[in-house]
Amino acid sequence: MVAITDFFDSYARQARLFPGLLMVFPPLMTALAWFPQLVLSNVGTTLLTIAVSCGLLYALGSWARTRGKNIEDALLAQWGGWPTTLKLRHAGSLDPSTLARYHDFLKNNVPHWQVPTPAEQESDVAKADGVYGSAVKWLKEKTRKGFPLVEKENAQYGFRRNLLGIRPIGIAVCGFAAIASIAAILAQTTGLNDTALWAVFSNQRSEVWAAIAIDLLALIAWFAVVNIEWVRQAADQYADALLAACDQLNARNASAPPGRAGTRPSETARSEVR
């Protein structure tokens, strides 16, 4: 049997596959509640094996990422730029001492890089942001290996962004599943008296009511939890972790033997937000 880990590394599972699976989970539970033979006959296991073998789960994860990336420009427009860029600006959210320390580290380590002055930033914000973005790109390369907090926060951002991207479809499929279940129950009550109506509702299998509850809870989560502010929180946390790596890199460089300073980039880690 083909394993999911054959198609997805840790980042891809959390940031790409899990959002897609969360979207299909409620309607899948609804289908299984109404048609339990899919599980009892091992058809579900067979279908999962076929789905993995045919790359359908990979396609689901790739689609979720595409939906997330499609909304990223709108998010950045609302935020005013990448969180790391905003934090590296003069008079940004970082305290002056921390900002100066990060600027000094980047100036001393990023080749051919100079910190824009406050006057330069004020006169041409776009150009200054480009300079900050160049430093962040260098920093991302230096933290691709050996920085678990950076990797964790990056995956968290990707997970939330991709969930927001598929949110409209998640709402639609959960709503459809809930309505379909309720309609199927009501269809059994046509023309019945009160006693018979109660019998229909009381005789419904617990799995059906559980599936309806899952659909409704999922709808509440899509509306109440998955939103732009939720994604922004993860983006800020990733930006904080990435910029804090300046201090870690500085400490590693200070303790490394001559000629061994710096870090080696990994081929597997990813960065989605700057």
Side-chain angles (χ1 to χ4, degrees):
M1 179 178 176
V2 180
I4 291 179
T5 53
D6 294 334
F7 291 88
F8 301 95
D9 58 24
S10 177
Y11 173 87
R13 285 196 301 273
Q14 180 176 342
R16 299 177 183 176
L17 179 61
F18 289 173
L21 291 178
L22 284 175
M23 182 194 71
V24 301
F25 175 74
L28 179 61
M29 291 299 98
T30 299
L32 293 178
W34 284 100
F35 306 103
Q37 62 270 26
L38 292 176
V39 176
L40 298 177
S41 63
N42 292 323
V43 174
T45 302
T46 302
L47 291 176
L48 177 60
T49 302
I50 294 174
V52 174
S53 301
C54 294
L56 295 180
L57 289 182
Y58 183 86
L60 179 64
S62 179
W63 173 78
R65 179 184 184 274
T66 299
R67 294 282 303 187
K69 292 296 288 185
N70 286 345
I71 66 168
E72 201 162 55
D73 286 342
L75 293 177
L76 296 178
Q78 180 166 333
W79 297 344
W82 291 103
T84 42
T85 298
L86 301 179
K87 291 176 182 294
L88 285 175
R89 287 176 180 173
H90 296 283
S93 60
L94 293 174
D95 64 89
S97 297
T98 301
L99 180 63
R101 190 169 68 251
Y102 291 167
H103 280 176
D104 287 343
F105 171 81
L106 295 172
K107 180 179 65 177
N108 294 330
N109 288 274
V110 180
H112 313 296
W113 192 84
Q114 291 293 325
V115 184
T117 66
E120 290 171 339
Q121 177 182 299
E122 184 177 357
S123 64
D124 195 337
V125 176
K127 182 178 180 180
D129 285 352
V131 175
Y132 297 136
S134 175
V136 171
K137 182 178 180 179
W138 176 91
L139 186 60
K140 287 162 63 178
E141 291 299 319
K142 292 297 183 180
T143 56
R144 287 186 183 274
K145 183 177 181 180
F147 293 81
L149 180 60
V150 175
E151 295 175 8
K152 174 185 175 182
E153 297 296 351
N154 180 41
Q156 180 68 205
Y157 165 75
F159 171 78
R160 296 190 185 189
R161 180 204 63 191
N162 294 343
L163 268 181
L164 183 63
I166 63 177
R167 180 176 182 264
I169 299 174
I171 291 173
V173 297
C174 288
F176 175 81
I179 292 172
S181 289
I182 295 172
I185 294 174
L186 293 178
Q188 303 173 31
T189 67
T190 303
L192 298 180
N193 57 35
D194 291 344
T195 302
L197 283 174
W198 173 252
V200 169
F201 283 101
S202 61
N203 290 333
Q204 291 297 324
R205 289 178 294 106
S206 59
E207 292 87 346
V208 171
W209 294 117
I212 294 175
I214 290 173
D215 292 332
L216 296 178
L217 288 174
L219 280 172
I220 293 173
W222 283 117
F223 280 109
V225 178
V226 182
N227 53 50
I228 294 177
E229 183 57 34
W230 188 60
V231 179
R232 175 60 187 270
Q233 182 184 55
D236 283 336
Q237 290 170 348
Y238 171 67
D240 288 336
L242 182 61
L243 292 176
C246 290
D247 292 333
Q248 300 175 57
L249 286 168
N250 195 39
R252 293 184 185 187
N253 291 343
S255 61
R260 297 288 300 277
T263 60
R264 295 168 55 192
S266 165
E267 296 180 356
T268 59
R270 293 166 174 79
S271 289
E272 292 281 6
V273 62
R274 295 181 296 189

